[in-house]
Amino acid sequence: MQNNGINHFLHTSIYGKLTVVKLIFFILLSLCIIFNFTPGIALAIGLAFGLLAGNPYNNITKKYTKYLLQVSVVGLGFSMDINEVMKAGESGLLYTAGTIIITLILGILIGKFLSVNKITSYLISTGTAICGGSAIAAVSPVIKANDDQISVSIGTVFILNAIALFIFPPIGHYLDLTAKQFGIWCAIAIHDTSSVVGAAKQYGDEALTIATTVKLARALWIVPLVFVSSFVFKSEKKKLHFPLFIIFFIIASIMSTYIPEVKKNSKELLVIAKAGLSITLFFIGAGISLRSIKEIGFRPLVQGILLWAFIIVASLWVVKNMI
């Protein structure tokens, strides 16, 4: 009875169509921008709001979050030297290829052991192996995944991404990882680009540069994965959606390196990019609800957790002993 009363109050109109929930949403969003909260704090605020009140603009934020993320990542490119970007990409290439192949194979085996639906299991594996929701979205059409399979897969990856933002930086500091080690580790072990960038940003600018570059290089594997998936599932040929923001990130880095005027304004561009990233993480957190957590189910979530735990430990061992 009391919960119904609180719910009624939160959704009561105060200025036309503006409800208390919507007003709080705009206030929290404004605070994230004005005080330039770190991605972890922005995510925590959004998560608390989403669980307690629910995102009143969920359909809108869900639609535009990926575009805001891509623009923010491109903005980060304006603060990076292309020579350092290429060096970081080369150092993480071998680890990227190895972990992608191992993750896919292990994910499929775990899914089979837990009796997870074949397509759902494959989507969770690809999302964990490459770049979370982007990989799932790219692969889904060619393997004819339905809405339920897609939502369960993205939901699983989504929740683990939120956890990663909070636990990776403290673990990195506790284990005394260097910026290079932490950058490569989180680029390999965290699913989505947003969480990779958010975790690395908390570890410093060098870690951010390395993590972003390695993660974007990892995202390029979407292309061969889509073709292989089409062959394995014997689906009809579909249009391939290449992540163009990766190309724009590289162009931004080149401009910042060789065009003095761009380099001169790189700090201002970086501030804007980081603000966009904080907004993105707030939207992501606000999109998580108790209902979305329940809809994921037990078996797919266990598959995602077991697979992720393996990648965390294995990649951590590699960066600690080989980098």
Side-chain angles (χ1 to χ4, degrees), residues 46-83:
L47 184 61
F49 176 80
L51 292 175
L52 293 173
N55 185 355
Y57 299 105
N58 194 46
N59 291 333
I60 298 174
T61 57
K62 191 175 181 181
K63 181 179 179 181
Y64 293 105
T65 292
K66 67 175 182 179
Y67 300 114
L68 181 57
L69 167 64
Q70 291 172 3
V71 171
S72 300
V73 169
V74 172
L76 292 175
F78 284 108
S79 66
M80 299 180 183
D81 187 296
I82 187 62
N83 300 309

Side-chain angles (χ1 to χ4, degrees), residues 242-260:
F242 182 79
L244 291 176
F245 75 99
I246 297 173
I247 303 299
F248 290 126
F249 171 84
I250 295 173
I251 293 173
S253 298
I254 293 173
M255 291 174 65
S256 179
T257 304
Y258 297 109
I259 301 177

Side-chain angles (χ1 to χ4, degrees), residues 68-219:
L68 181 57
L69 167 64
Q70 291 172 3
V71 171
S72 300
V73 169
V74 172
L76 292 175
F78 284 108
S79 66
M80 299 180 183
D81 187 296
I82 187 62
N83 300 309
E84 294 299 320
V85 168
M86 297 307 293
K87 190 186 296 182
E90 288 173 7
S91 65
L93 182 62
L94 182 62
Y95 307 108
T96 296
T99 54
I100 285 174
I101 295 171
I102 293 171
T103 302
L104 283 171
I105 294 173
L106 184 62
I108 292 170
L109 291 176
I110 293 175
K112 190 172 183 180
F113 175 76
L114 293 172
S115 299
V116 177
N117 174 271
K118 181 180 178 182
I119 290 180
T120 301
S121 172
Y122 187 76
L123 290 177
I124 291 173
S125 301
T126 56
T128 305
I130 300 183
C131 55
S134 298
I136 292 172
V139 170
S140 295
V142 301
I143 67 173
K144 298 179 180 177
N146 60 39
D147 290 344
D148 289 338
Q149 292 163 339
I150 295 171
S151 62
V152 166
S153 305
I154 291 180
T156 300
V157 168
F158 200 56
I159 289 174
L160 297 181
N161 270 316
I163 295 172
L165 257 173
F166 295 110
I167 68 171
F168 268 62
I171 292 174
H173 288 299
Y174 178 77
L175 297 175
D176 199 26
L177 297 182
T178 65
K180 182 177 181 180
Q181 288 175 330
F182 185 81
I184 292 178
W185 179 47
C186 67
I188 290 174
I190 301 178
H191 311 76
D192 278 330
T193 305
S194 58
S195 292
V196 170
V197 175
K201 181 176 177 289
Q202 298 176 56
Y203 214 80
D205 290 341
E206 184 183 352
L208 177 62
T209 300
I210 293 170
T212 303
T213 306
V214 174
K215 190 62 182 179
L216 294 181
R218 194 179 186 85

